[in-house]
Structure formats: structure tokens, C-alpha cells
Amino acid sequence: MIHAAGVIDDTVITALTPQRVDTVLRAKVDAAWNLHELTRHMDLSAFVMFSSIAATVGAPGQANYAAANTFLDALAAHRRAVGLPAVSLAWGLWEQPSAMTAHLDAADLTRMARSGLTPMGSQEALDLFDTALTAEQPHLIPAHLDLKALRSLATLDALPALFTNLIHATTRRHADNDLTAHSKTALAQRLHGLSTEQQQAVLRDLVRSHIATVLGAPTAEDINPDHNFQDLGLDSLTALELRNRLKTATGLTLSPTLIFDYPTPTTLGQHLHQRLAGTVAQTTTISPADAEIQRLIASIPVNRLRQAGVLDILLGLTGTANHPNESESAETKLANMGLDDLVTAALQSDDV
């Protein structure tokens, strides 16, 4: 027996209503449970339910669909536990359109590809189906994954935990604060030395470039900076992706209603400029010479600094040296060292 029925009614979770949930759950939950009840005393050779990878790793705008398919996965586990045949197949994307995927356009497919999910041919899907029937597992995920796209998600700290070991990625949850600070600093340095108008133009173009990525536009120049986001083609799902991308690019905490509060690339760029103004101001107080010294010191291995005797000086300046009373002489010594002297002292050792 195969249960392959399904209905979708996609929207962001804040727009879900009981009716939209019921519509999706009825085809999955009610139908599967009725089949379970009606056949539980039959000698079935197979009880196969078509679930979705959305239930396993999540999918933007498909909270109701994910919940419905999670029930199928749980039902398969329940049937196996009581000695009944069952397998729930959490399908990825099929290349051949179905009633639920025929509406997907090029932008939708591109967005899904960025999430690491690419279409699989019908023959590949059927081969996976045959393999699944021979496996003694209640829940399997037949899907075609793009490992390169998954690695890109890992760099954005947006990789589902399930795929961490698949691409040998290390979790970065503990480094969120450092990542945010780095994003802010990098963008502030990019804006350093520019006029207010130039800074706003950079941020406006940053917004345009991410919109182009989300919508699949050829270049950022194809995005009119004064057009409303909805007129440009952003919906609730692409708006969420845009917010997440800008959050990563700027290091700022951004509201889910961002594009409604600031409805054009120009107004959003101005908002980002206002949010980043304090960080940019702090960056612009650093002289070019000091910035170069900071860059140089950061690039030198600590072992070389230690062997050259420079590490104690730097530690003294930060108040972490073993002898705080020597910090004044250390500061004087560093002040008397030119950039060339610092390079020479740090690179005297051949050890890395």
C-alpha cells in the first residue's frame, strides 16, 4: 500500500490560520491514520508513506506541510514498533513536476538550489524507492543534495544541523557573537573615509546585490533602488531570505518586517546606515597608520611575536602582562618602534 496524497498551502508561520493548517493536515494526517486503522489487521507486504524532507530539515513557508509530514514519519516508527510494516520516505525535489511543484518558477528552483536541494530525475527517484523498500528503516530521506551549496550555508551559519557531519562542517553557534562583531567591523572599514552620501550608496548597493541573488537577477544594476520591494518581486519567503542575508552581511539584528518598514532598497540602505553609524564613527577615529599596525600585528604568528620579545610588550599594553608595573616602559618601547622595526623584530626567528 502506498499513501502519496498531499496538499500545500505555503505561507510564513505568522500568517498561518487554523484553516490553512487543516487543509494541509487533512490529506496527510487524516488519510494516513485512516489507512493505518483500516489495514492494521491485514497482512500487508508494505505500507509506504510519501513524506517530505521539509519535515526533517525545515522549509521556509512550509510549517504546516512540515508538521503534516512529521506525523507520517512518526506513524511509520509507531507501526514498526508494534510489528507492522511501514516506511516513511522524506522525498526531496523531483525533476518531473507534480501537482504540488508545477507552480515553481526559475526563482523558486534557484532558491531551493541555494538551500542545497536540487532536482532528481524520475529514474533516480524510482531507484531510491526500490532501495528503500529493502531497507529495514522506518524513515529514509531520498533526496539529491548539492554539497557545495551546503558548504556555502555553513559559511553563513545557516546549515541544518543534520548536514553538519555530511560535509564535515564544524558548528559555529558558539561563535555567533564573534561573527556578528566581525561583520560589523568589516563593513565599517569598508565605509571608512567615505562621505555620508557615499556610505548610503554602498549600503543601498549592498541591499541591491542581495536582492539580485534572492530573485535570481543577473546583476545588482537590474534592481531599481527606488522601486517597492513587492513590485520588484519579493514575497514573504524571499523577504525572509533577504533579511537573513543582510543580517549576516551587516552583523545587525534585523526585524522580520524589515522590507515592510523600509520598502525600497534606498530607504533600507538609509536605515542600515543609521544603524551602523556608531560603528563607522568608531572606525574612523583610528588613523591609517594605527590601522596598518593593527593589521600587521594580527597577521604575525604568536610564536614569532613571543620569540622576538614583542608579545610581552603587546600583553603589557592590554594589561595582561605578568608585571603590570612595566606597562609604561613597554608602551614607550613600542612607541619608539617604527613599523619597519616591528616587522624586523617579529620576523627575526625562522620558526613559524
Side-chain angles (χ1 to χ4, degrees):
M1 192 214 73
I2 299 176
H3 168 43
V7 174
I8 56 173
D9 191 359
D10 296 350
T11 186
V12 292
I13 195 167
T14 54
L16 280 178
T17 63
Q19 292 73 24
R20 300 184 82 160
V21 173
D22 288 345
T23 297
V24 176
L25 264 61
R26 190 176 300 115
K28 291 284 186 180
V29 176
D30 293 355
W33 184 255
N34 288 336
L35 289 172
H36 163 67
E37 288 285 288
L38 291 171
T39 64
R40 64 190 306 172
H41 302 297
M42 297 181 182
D43 185 22
L44 298 179
S45 59
F47 189 95
V48 183
M49 293 174 287
F50 278 24
S51 177
S52 168
I53 194 173
T56 307
V57 300
Q62 291 194 316
N64 49 0
Y65 190 63
N69 285 291
T70 297
F71 178 85
L72 301 188
D73 301 340
L75 178 57
H78 168 71
R79 285 181 58 91
R80 284 293 186 103
V82 297
L84 297 175
V87 61
S88 182
L89 301 180
W91 288 105
L93 180 64
W94 285 50
E95 192 175 65
Q96 180 178 338
S98 68
M100 290 191 295
T101 62
H103 69 285
L104 297 177
D105 58 21
D108 294 321
L109 295 175
T110 299
R111 184 175 67 249
M112 295 178 74
R114 287 198 299 270
S115 73
L117 191 62
T118 54
M120 54 185 159
S122 297
Q123 188 57 53
E124 180 183 6
L126 293 173
D127 290 343
L128 291 174
F129 177 83
D130 291 339
T131 301
L133 294 184
T134 64
E136 294 297 321
Q137 297 292 334
H139 180 216
L140 295 168
I141 306 175
H144 192 279
L145 301 176
D146 182 348
L147 298 186
K148 182 179 179 180
L150 294 180
R151 293 188 184 97
S152 296
L153 289 178
T155 64
L156 297 173
D157 199 31
L159 181 71
L162 179 68
F163 299 139
T164 299
N165 292 332
L166 181 63
I167 64 168
H168 308 294
T170 56
T171 180
R172 293 169 51 190
R173 298 294 178 187
H174 65 283
D176 278 351
N177 291 337
D178 291 341
L179 180 63
T180 297
H182 175 74
S183 296
K184 283 185 178 179
T185 302
L187 187 55
Q189 290 176 347
R190 182 179 173 188
L191 299 175
H192 166 62
L194 301 179
S195 67
T196 298
E197 292 75 13
Q198 289 172 328
Q199 290 175 354
Q200 291 180 351
V202 168
L203 293 169
R204 182 190 62 222
D205 290 343
L206 175 69
V207 173
R208 293 170 70 197
S209 68
H210 284 288
I211 296 174
T213 299
V214 168
L215 296 180
T219 67
E221 286 68 29
D222 294 302
I223 305 299
N224 190 313
D226 297 315
H227 278 189
N228 189 286
F229 285 123
Q230 292 180 327
D231 293 336
L232 289 172
L234 266 75
D235 55 22
S236 56
L237 300 184
T238 49
L240 180 62
E241 182 180 356
L242 175 62
R243 190 281 302 261
N244 291 340
R245 285 180 166 273
L246 291 175
K247 179 181 176 182
T248 300
T250 64
L252 297 172
T253 300
L254 300 174
S255 167
T257 61
L258 189 68
I259 73 163
F260 302 103
D261 299 332
Y262 308 96
T264 69
T266 296
T267 56
L268 180 50
Q270 292 170 347
H271 170 67
L272 295 178
H273 179 262
Q274 183 179 16
R275 292 284 304 277
L276 288 164
T279 305
V280 174
Q282 293 174 12
T283 301
T284 56
T285 61
I286 301 175
S287 69
D290 288 342
E292 177 63 18
I293 291 175
Q294 288 180 356
R295 182 200 64 76
L296 176 67
I297 292 174
S299 69
I300 299 173
V302 173
N303 195 36
R304 286 190 174 182
L305 292 175
R306 180 181 294 109
Q307 293 182 7
V310 178
L311 184 61
D312 290 338
I313 298 174
L314 300 178
L315 291 177
L317 291 175
T318 60
T320 56
N322 293 329
H323 305 288
N325 60 328
E326 296 180 1
S327 62
E328 184 176 354
S329 62
E331 184 174 358
T332 301
K333 183 176 180 180
L334 184 62
N336 291 329
M337 293 178 67
L339 199 54
D340 292 339
D341 296 329
L342 180 59
V343 173
T344 301
L347 300 179
Q348 282 177 344
S349 173
D350 290 331
D351 296 331
V352 177

